[in-house]
Each structure stands twice: as C-alpha cells, then as structure tokens.
Amino acid sequence: MGRQPLWRRVDFIPRVTYFKPTGVPVAQLQEVRLSVEEAEAIRLKDREGLGQDQCAQRMSISRTTFHRILVLARQKIADALLNGRAIRIAGGNFEMTVRRFRCDNGHEWEVPFEVMINTPPQFCPTCNTPSIMALWPWGPAWGRGDGGRRHRGGRNW
Ligand SMILES: [Zn+2]
C-alpha cells in the first residue's frame, strides 16, 4: 500500500482516564480533554525520556507532527494543573499496535499492527468464519466511537 497511515500508532492506553481536582464544585469544574495520542506523546517523551525522532518513529508520524502533538499535550496538562481543571483522556486518531478481533462464535484473537496494515484478517483462525469484527482493547468507548468497526481502504473491520 505504501500510504502514510492516517492514525498515530499508540502502544499504551492509560488505565485511569479521568483526573479531577478536589474541592472544586462539580458545577464549576471544567474539563480538559487529552487525546490518547497526546497521552502517548507525553509518555514517550517525558516518561520514557526518548528523543523526538524516536518518539515520532514509535508513533509512525513525522517529527513535526510529533512535536505539535507534544506541545499541545503539555499545554493542556499545564492548563489543568494550574487552573484546577479535570483531565479526561479519550478519543483521538490512533491505532493500537495490537488489535483484538472477535468472531460471531465468540473466539477472540490479536493481530499485530504491522500485519494488519497489509493483510487485515478475513477469517477467524479458530473456526474459519468470515463473520469477524474488530474490538477496541477496552471497549467501543475508545477511538472514534464507531462501535469498534473501522473503515479503511474500502475494507470493513
Ligand atoms: Zn471463531
């Protein structure tokens, strides 16, 4: 295919996705929304201490794009910390390094990102049914809220 991926590659999704300051009435609470790829940028750069080139490679994006995501992520976190806002980590344009699939007979399995780009699975490896669907690792709330189905290159997964 050789096409630039539309989605940023992400290795990790935080388990805790909501942070809220104490002592702020809910009515006054404002929320900062951090996308999953913004959280990943912070993790790679600030937590793992990788260089920007490495980070960009890990996420399959250009250095410029990585820098833009990182700056935005830091601004949002700073805003939340200094102005007492809640942080919600959700959504974004990202692709997990591993995707989980499930067939109509309830079998589940995982396919690595690299394999999926070129040859998305067509059949369940256990029972060979073609009735399969992609799942998000933590349910359909992740990604674009399309219930885990995703269209790319004319294929439905
Ligand atoms: Zn099956």
Side-chain angles (χ1 to χ4, degrees):
M1 277 158 77
R3 215 181 74 204
Q4 191 78 4
L6 287 172
W7 289 289
R8 293 74 187 260
R9 179 181 163 156
V10 162
D11 289 331
F12 178 83
I13 291 181
R15 287 277 167 183
V16 176
T17 56
Y18 194 71
F19 302 87
K20 177 185 172 303
T22 58
V24 179
V26 175
Q28 288 168 28
L29 199 61
Q30 286 180 300
E31 199 177 283
V32 169
R33 191 175 152 123
L34 204 64
S35 71
V36 171
E37 66 261 28
E38 285 165 351
E40 178 75 347
I42 290 283
R43 184 181 75 87
L44 294 174
K45 186 74 181 70
D46 296 335
R47 182 75 190 138
E48 291 199 3
L50 302 179
Q52 291 217 11
D53 285 333
Q54 263 180 302
C55 295
Q57 257 177 24
R58 289 275 290 269
M59 292 180 71
S60 295
I61 53 182
S62 72
R63 199 171 180 278
T64 317
T65 304
F66 177 80
H67 185 71
R68 188 163 39 79
I69 293 173
L70 181 69
V71 167
L72 198 62
R74 285 176 174 167
Q75 280 172 355
K76 288 180 179 180
I77 291 170
D79 178 39
L81 286 181
L82 300 172
N83 297 316
R85 303 192 210 285
I87 300 177
R88 183 186 297 281
I89 304 175
N93 296 312
F94 66 91
E95 193 73 74
M96 292 296 295
T97 46
V98 167
R99 167 156 287 184
R100 221 172 156 73
F101 288 83
R102 184 164 64 202
C103 81
D104 279 356
N105 298 319
H107 303 117
E108 290 191 13
W109 70 102
E110 289 180 349
V111 181
F113 184 83
E114 284 83 2
V115 173
M116 227 161 43
I117 293 264
N118 296 310
T119 51
Q122 310 287 329
F123 303 99
C124 169
T126 307
C127 68
N128 275 324
T129 175
S131 304
I132 63 172
M133 71 174 286
L135 303 173
W136 287 105
W138 288 276
W142 289 108
R144 290 170 161 181
D146 56 5
R149 287 189 186 271
R150 175 67 66 77
H151 297 270
R152 181 196 271 180
R155 280 188 164 116
N156 187 5
W157 36 293

